[in-house]
Amino acid sequence: MEAIQVDGLRKSYADFEAVREISFSVAKGEIFALLGRNGAGKSTTMEILAGFQRPDGGTVRVLGLDPVKDRAKVRKSIGIMLQEAGFFPDLTVAQTVDSWREFVPVARPRAEALELVGLTGKAGTKVRQLSGGEKRRLDLALATLGRPDLLFLDEPTTGMDPEARKATWDVVTDLAARGTTVLLTTHYLEEAQRLATTMAIMDKGAIVASGGMAETLAAQTGRVAFELPSGVEARDLPVDVTAVEGTTVVCRVPDPDVAAQTLLGWAGERGLRLRGLEVRTATLEDLFLDLASKEKA
Amino acid sequence: MTTVRETLAVARLGGRIYWRDKQALTATVLTSVGLGIGLPVMMDRLRPGETSVIVAQLLGMLAVSLTLSGFNQSAVSLTARRDQLILKRLRASGLGDGAVLGGELLNIMAQSVLIALVTTVAVVNLTSATAPRDPVLFTVFVVLGAAVITSLGAAWTVVIPRAEVAAPLSIPFFMIAGLGAGAFGPMNQLLPGWLSTVLDLLPTAAVVKVGGATFADGTFAGDLQAAVVPLLNLSVWAAIALLVISRRFRWEPRRS
């Protein structure tokens, strides 16, 4: 059974279509990334899955149940880290966790919850004195208090410093390794690429690309970049040039390894060096930029 | 059982927050207790021995106090928590909607009952007024009244667009409740008959009516008879509050 099954989901606010007939599924134990720019419809989709909003059309199943009609059953098995939600500012971190522990039947001990997200040293600090990143970590601690089967993470690392972000990634990876299904929305492409095994990219409420992370990226063009040797024109090169950025030549090619070998052979025959040579397969950023350029075209 | 446990957990958290909230303490507790005790005590000094006047003043102030600490506090607090996305976070914790709202209302109702009872005990001890002849029935109606009035405050949030205007949009109700209950002196005797009849339909009027019966001479059977119409009154208001909450209560601020 899939942990999440979405078919033809639609949601509008007045005349604005936030989600347009999207379909996807998330297998149990998988980390699924829902990507897109601000306003793409990611958070609306997540809020419908979490049972906060009713869909206008389509069907949604979370752990085999309707998240609105069966919310009482669904809520016991899910954890939610919202993109935006308030805290009681005058409670300390420890008091907040203790209060929330009363809401969960079998909650993690407070010490374990705080250690999980690296907030042990902040236990006595009032929530109003926490940084944005620390509040996100507290949010994650609350979302994972009940050891949920399915975890919704809406922009989980926004506002975190690089160290905290990496620590959060480790927490999410560890939870998934223990069998927790994770649905993640983020606009940090590195985060999605690092964590997720499958993904869908949303744009203007619709899914414009989806599938396994590795396969989807492999299907995209790779990138070869280097400094143009002096006395050489871009048109003289043996591969098609996509762009010249200052003195750097960028080639978008289906197989970047083959293109790099061709270029090195060509340069060797002429006694030239390709300084700053960079060869890489497609990244999510490339995929995003491709989608954006297709949209403009 | 789970819902009861969750509701009590939310109420305990609400209580912890309530007693740290300086605004709630000054606007609700100090005002309610200060006026609720102060005016009957002043009346006792001005018209010593006129017990019925002091009791009428006390019951009028209880109507004001229940409205301030129940209706207004409920409307202001729930609107603020809605706008600060705290209600949303509580829902995300896995709690049922009934437990979140029920717990919030239970806490506010408990504070409201506490204020009303402390006020009553203080007035009875500081003035020539005697304790109610039937304290149980009096307390039952204070509790029922507080529950209904607090729920009406939650229902009123559906028309409050944002937290900043919650207090000004709720203040008129304590004035109306006080006027109808005689908290501001015998001003209600100057009102046209139809307006007095309308004011008698308020939920605070039900508490005042039964409270008056329990303070006056009479029998338990007579008290129960006097409580029938007020009970009906509170039932109708409770049904209105629950209907509005179940259909229109907003957990989050408007998106547009």
Side-chain angles (χ1 to χ4, degrees):
Chain A
M1 187 179 72
E2 304 286 0
I4 296 173
Q5 184 71 49
V6 176
D7 291 303
L9 175 64
R10 287 185 288 110
K11 179 71 184 177
S12 298
Y13 301 109
D15 296 334
F16 175 68
E17 278 188 283
V19 178
R20 305 177 181 198
E21 295 211 19
I22 64 168
S23 301
F24 64 90
S25 62
V26 181
K28 280 192 171 175
E30 189 173 69
I31 302 182
F32 182 93
L34 200 52
L35 305 168
R37 288 175 285 195
N38 291 336
K42 309 184 297 292
S43 293
T44 301
T45 302
M46 184 173 274
E47 293 197 354
I48 291 170
L49 293 174
F52 288 140
Q53 295 194 43
R54 289 175 186 276
D56 293 339
T59 57
V60 174
R61 286 286 176 273
V62 173
L63 301 172
L65 300 165
D66 183 318
V68 175
K69 287 181 187 160
D70 304 316
R71 188 163 176 265
K73 287 181 187 166
V74 172
R75 67 188 166 87
K76 293 185 192 311
S77 304
I78 64 174
I80 307 168
M81 184 176 176
L82 296 162
Q83 184 179 353
E84 276 187 303
F87 288 101
F88 291 106
D90 290 326
L91 292 184
T92 65
V93 168
Q95 287 167 338
T96 303
V97 172
D98 286 345
S99 299
W100 255 250
R101 288 186 71 245
E102 292 190 43
F103 304 155
V104 180
V106 187
R108 289 178 197 276
R110 183 219 293 167
E112 183 186 324
L114 293 181
E115 190 182 345
L116 184 75
V117 297
L119 281 179
T120 303
K122 295 281 182 182
T125 305
K126 283 190 175 177
V127 171
R128 69 164 75 247
Q129 294 166 327
L130 296 179
S131 68
E134 287 167 341
K135 283 181 184 162
R136 298 302 285 153
R137 284 150 68 189
L138 176 58
D139 209 344
L140 181 60
L142 301 183
T144 54
L145 267 182
R147 299 182 176 87
D149 296 329
L150 172 59
L151 187 58
F152 292 103
L153 302 176
D154 198 357
E155 306 283 356
T157 61
T158 299
M160 287 186 187
D161 58 44
E163 193 183 347
R165 179 169 296 154
K166 187 182 171 305
T168 301
W169 292 348
D170 290 342
V171 171
V172 174
T173 307
D174 186 49
L175 289 169
R178 292 165 191 262
T180 306
T181 306
V182 180
L183 190 143
L184 163 83
T185 76
T186 182
H187 55 252
Y188 293 126
L189 302 177
E190 183 195 358
E191 180 166 283
Q193 201 165 343
R194 171 86 176 258
L195 292 176
T197 46
T198 51
M199 59 97 174
I201 297 179
M202 290 187 75
D203 188 43
K204 294 178 182 170
I207 289 180
V208 291
S210 65
M213 185 69 74
E215 301 84 62
T216 306
L217 293 179
Q220 302 300 312
T221 56
R223 182 178 189 272
V224 179
F226 54 92
E227 284 184 27
L228 191 63
S230 61
V232 176
E233 296 288 329
R235 63 173 177 272
D236 299 333
L237 296 170
V239 295
D240 289 336
V241 174
T242 309
V244 179
E245 298 165 357
T247 59
T248 302
V249 176
V250 178
C251 305
R252 302 293 297 277
V253 289
D255 191 332
D257 291 341
V258 171
Q261 284 171 18
T262 305
L263 281 162
L264 286 168
W266 173 85
E269 286 169 8
R270 288 159 182 76
L272 299 171
R273 290 189 63 188
L274 300 182
R275 294 180 190 279
L277 179 65
E278 183 186 282
V279 183
R280 61 175 172 79
T281 52
T283 63
L284 269 178
E285 188 175 355
D286 297 327
L287 183 51
F288 251 72
L289 293 173
D290 279 354
L291 290 170
S293 62
K294 279 177 192 167
E295 190 184 316
K296 281 179 187 169
Chain B
M1 197 61 204
T2 307
T3 306
V4 173
R5 183 184 59 78
E6 290 178 344
T7 304
L8 291 175
V10 175
R12 276 196 298 276
L13 174 61
R16 235 171 280 156
I17 303 298
Y18 185 89
W19 291 102
R20 291 162 189 255
D21 183 350
K22 292 188 180 76
Q23 196 179 344
L25 291 180
T26 48
T28 303
V29 180
L30 274 180
T31 309
S32 297
V33 174
L35 287 175
I37 298 172
L39 287 181
V41 168
M42 187 181 76
M43 194 61 75
D44 189 47
R45 302 290 179 272
L46 291 173
R47 299 167 76 170
E50 292 190 39
T51 311
S52 62
V53 175
I54 297 161
V55 168
Q57 182 71 66
L58 167 66
L59 293 173
M61 289 317 299
L62 286 185
V64 170
S65 161
L66 287 172
T67 310
L68 264 181
S69 61
F71 184 92
N72 288 34
Q73 180 64 20
S74 171
V76 170
S77 168
L78 287 174
T79 310
R81 288 183 190 174
R82 178 187 74 197
D83 286 12
Q84 292 164 1
L85 299 173
I86 288 173
L87 293 180
K88 188 175 182 181
R89 177 176 297 286
L90 287 169
R91 291 179 91 202
S93 67
L95 292 166
D97 290 352
V100 174
L101 192 54
E104 291 281 5
L105 294 181
L106 179 62
N107 163 56
I108 295 169
M109 186 199 92
Q111 317 298 348
S112 189
V113 169
L114 182 67
I115 289 169
L117 295 182
V118 164
T119 301
T120 305
V121 170
V123 169
V124 165
N125 282 287
L126 295 173
T127 68
S128 55
T130 53
R133 179 175 38 76
D134 189 346
V136 175
L137 188 64
F138 173 79
T139 306
V140 165
F141 264 79
V142 167
V143 171
L144 289 176
V148 171
I149 292 164
T150 303
S151 302
L152 285 167
W156 183 241
T157 63
V158 304
V159 300
I160 301 175
R162 56 187 187 282
E164 293 87 345
V165 297
L169 283 177
S170 306
I171 279 175
F173 290 95
F174 96 81
M175 299 291 290
I176 294 167
L179 182 66
F184 312 124
M187 282 173 63
N188 49 350
Q189 292 171 15
L190 301 173
L191 299 174
W194 65 268
L195 188 52
S196 292
T197 305
V198 170
L199 292 175
D200 279 346
L201 297 175
L202 293 175
T204 43
V207 179
V208 169
K209 186 161 278 184
V210 175
T214 65
F215 270 98
D217 293 336
T219 61
F220 181 64
D223 291 347
L224 287 182
Q225 205 170 5
V228 172
V229 174
L231 191 61
L232 191 65
N233 170 316
L234 290 179
S235 303
V236 170
W237 282 111
I240 291 170
L242 291 176
L243 187 71
V244 173
I245 290 169
S246 63
R247 299 216 170 166
R248 303 291 301 277
F249 186 77
R250 284 191 289 122
W251 293 95
E252 296 176 41
R254 288 191 202 284
R255 289 179 184 243
S256 57

